[in-house]
């Protein structure tokens, strides 16, 4: 009887552990939403929901790129500068042509190229991702300032503003539709393709991946290329929202992207991540920032909260890895 009771208790504990691991972060999100609905009636209005969706669209797209980089064992600190460079490229493009697609394609190509440079330096020469991307962060932002000569220019293309501020049927923001499309593509890439399996393999155990015939160079490099593409898309949305080409935007955006990934269950040790978890992490950050604004908490404390979120997420990741090992 005692053995049966112990066995039943152990099974119950395991089931509870598995349940919390799978759905714990989603339960946290639901609790936060419930709290804010009670604390602020404004929170549950559709106008505020739309505001949250528009706020998280840029960070969401960035996080969906960052999750690939972190899962493959890297990190990218240059994405804030890429956002600024995207903004500058769009402004310059509109000086010569009114084509929105030309501006978008140029931005994607340039950011993907810088992503390739980041990935190639890290994968080929085994350089630390932190050092490489910190360096290219300065280079990229400097190039942005050189291109626009440090000037901010208002965009005259009214159709372009619809990307960041327009709504489908006057109801659903185009920016959140873009986020959902990127999320679907990211989900397919990470969970259903050979590239995704290789991302997990390289981040989980690089030596084992090499022994299994995984092309580590291309896997790591392409993870940064995908990051560059996502950054360009996020930069297009952000530039459309502010309706100006600014070389000084994007500061701190990498922190939100990293926080969303880690809160959503992505391991800094690599090899562990899910796209649904990342989306929940994005939503949590959006609810926190929006809730603090509604409760009139100082922006200074919001900055403190952002830092504490990252520290807490990293400590949780370390605890989970320790238990797993």
């Amino acid at each position: 009887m005692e053995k049966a009771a112990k066995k039943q208790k152990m099974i119950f504990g395991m089931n509870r552990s598995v349940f919390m691991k799978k759905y714990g972060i989603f339960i946290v999100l639901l609790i936060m939403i419930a709290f804010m609905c009670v604390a602020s009636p404004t929170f549950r209005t559709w106008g505020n929901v739309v505001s949250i969706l528009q706020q998280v669209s840029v960070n969401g797209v960035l996080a969906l790129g960052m999750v690939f980089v972190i899962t493959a064992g890297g990190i990218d600190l240059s994405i804030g500068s890429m956002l600024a460079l995207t903004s500058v490229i769009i402004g310059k493009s509109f000086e010569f042509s009114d084509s929105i697609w030309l501006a978008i394609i140029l931005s994607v190509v340039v950011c993907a190229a810088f992503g390739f440079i980041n990935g190639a330096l890290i994968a080929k020469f085994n350089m630390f991702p932190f050092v490489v991307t910190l360096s290219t962060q300065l280079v990229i932002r400097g190039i942005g300032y050189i291109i626009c000569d440090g000037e901010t220019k208002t965009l005259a293309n009214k159709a372009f503003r619809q990307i960041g501020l327009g709504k489908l049927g006057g109801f659903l923001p185009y920016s959140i539709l873009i986020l959902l499309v990127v999320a679907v593509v990211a989900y397919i890439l990470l969970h259903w393709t050979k590239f995704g399996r290789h991302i997990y393999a390289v981040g989980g155990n690089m030596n084992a991946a090499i022994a299994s015939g995984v092309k580590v160079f291309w896997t790591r490099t392409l993870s940064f290329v995908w990051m560059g593409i996502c950054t360009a898309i996020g930069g297009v949305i952000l530039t459309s929202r502010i309706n100006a080409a600014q070389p000084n935007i994007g500061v701190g955006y990498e922190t939100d992207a990293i926080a969303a990934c880690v809160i959503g269950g992505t391991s800094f040790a690599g090899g562990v991540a899910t796209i649904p978890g990342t989306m929940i992490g994005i939503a949590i950050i959006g609810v926190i920032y929006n809730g603090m604004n509604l409760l009139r908490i100082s922006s200074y404390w919001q900055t403190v909260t952002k830092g504490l979120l990252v520290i807490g997420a990293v400590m949780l990741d370390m605890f989970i890895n320790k238990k797993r090992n």
Side-chain angles (χ1 to χ4, degrees):
M1 289 290 292
E2 285 185 23
K3 286 184 179 180
K6 285 183 179 179
K7 187 176 181 181
Q8 188 176 7
K9 187 177 179 181
M10 185 174 67
I11 292 172
F12 175 75
M14 288 175 63
N15 289 338
R16 186 174 60 181
S17 177
V18 171
F19 177 83
M20 290 305 297
K21 185 177 179 182
K22 280 182 122 179
Y23 305 108
I25 193 69
F26 182 64
I27 292 171
V28 170
L29 175 61
L30 292 179
I31 292 171
M32 290 173 59
I33 292 173
F35 171 78
M36 283 307 306
C37 285
V38 174
S40 174
T42 306
F43 181 83
R44 53 180 183 261
T45 62
W46 176 247
N48 187 63
V49 172
V50 170
S51 176
I52 294 174
L53 293 176
Q54 288 180 323
Q55 286 173 5
V56 302
S57 58
V58 175
N59 289 330
V61 173
L62 296 179
L64 290 169
M66 187 67 75
V67 67
F68 282 75
V69 173
I70 296 177
T71 306
I75 196 167
D76 194 342
L77 302 180
S78 66
I79 60 176
S81 296
M82 284 195 205
L83 286 174
L85 183 60
T86 297
S87 183
V88 170
I89 290 171
I90 291 170
K92 277 294 178 184
S93 176
F94 284 154
E95 289 182 9
F96 301 100
S97 170
D98 286 331
S99 173
I100 295 174
W101 281 109
L102 177 62
I104 293 173
I105 291 170
L106 281 174
S107 301
V108 169
V109 169
V110 171
C111 288
F114 276 111
F116 179 85
I117 291 170
N118 282 337
L121 288 172
I122 292 164
K124 181 67 176 177
F125 301 105
N126 202 28
M127 298 175 70
F128 292 110
F130 180 89
V131 175
V132 172
T133 57
L134 184 64
S135 302
T136 54
Q137 176 191 63
L138 301 174
V139 173
I140 294 168
R141 192 171 291 277
I143 291 173
Y145 276 110
I146 291 170
I147 292 174
C148 68
D149 200 24
E151 296 180 355
T152 296
K153 295 184 179 179
T154 303
L155 303 179
N157 194 317
K158 293 182 179 180
F160 181 72
R161 293 201 70 187
Q162 292 300 307
I163 296 175
L165 297 175
K167 298 173 186 175
L168 181 64
F171 181 73
L172 190 64
Y174 289 124
S175 57
I176 202 65
L177 290 175
I178 294 171
L179 172 61
L180 292 175
V181 170
V182 175
V184 170
V185 174
Y187 184 86
I188 293 171
L189 284 175
L190 191 62
H191 296 289
W192 287 1
T193 67
K194 183 190 289 186
F195 172 60
R197 292 194 295 273
H198 288 181
I199 288 282
Y200 283 119
V202 170
N205 190 322
M206 192 177 298
N207 292 328
I210 293 170
S212 301
V214 174
K215 295 179 180 178
V216 173
F217 172 82
W218 284 110
T219 300
R220 299 189 77 185
T221 301
L222 289 177
S223 70
F224 280 92
V225 171
W226 171 249
M227 178 76 259
I229 293 171
C230 289
T231 306
I233 295 171
V236 169
I237 298 172
L238 181 60
T239 304
S240 173
R241 284 176 57 187
I242 63 177
N243 195 39
Q246 295 184 4
N248 58 349
I249 62 172
V251 177
Y253 274 75
E254 63 277 356
T255 308
D256 287 342
I258 293 168
C261 291
V262 180
I263 290 170
T266 303
S267 173
F268 260 124
V272 177
T274 65
I275 297 302
T278 303
M279 292 294 286
I280 293 173
I282 294 163
I284 286 175
I285 289 181
V287 169
I288 289 174
Y289 289 171
N290 180 262
M292 293 180 79
N293 285 329
L294 292 177
L295 297 176
R296 297 182 180 180
I297 297 174
S298 167
S299 60
Y300 305 135
W301 282 107
Q302 292 184 34
T303 304
V304 171
T305 302
K306 186 190 297 185
L308 292 175
L309 270 175
V310 176
I311 292 173
V314 172
M315 289 180 67
L316 179 62
D317 176 51
M318 292 174 64
F319 174 75
I320 292 172
N321 283 328
K322 188 176 180 181
K323 286 193 72 175
R324 187 184 296 119
N325 292 333

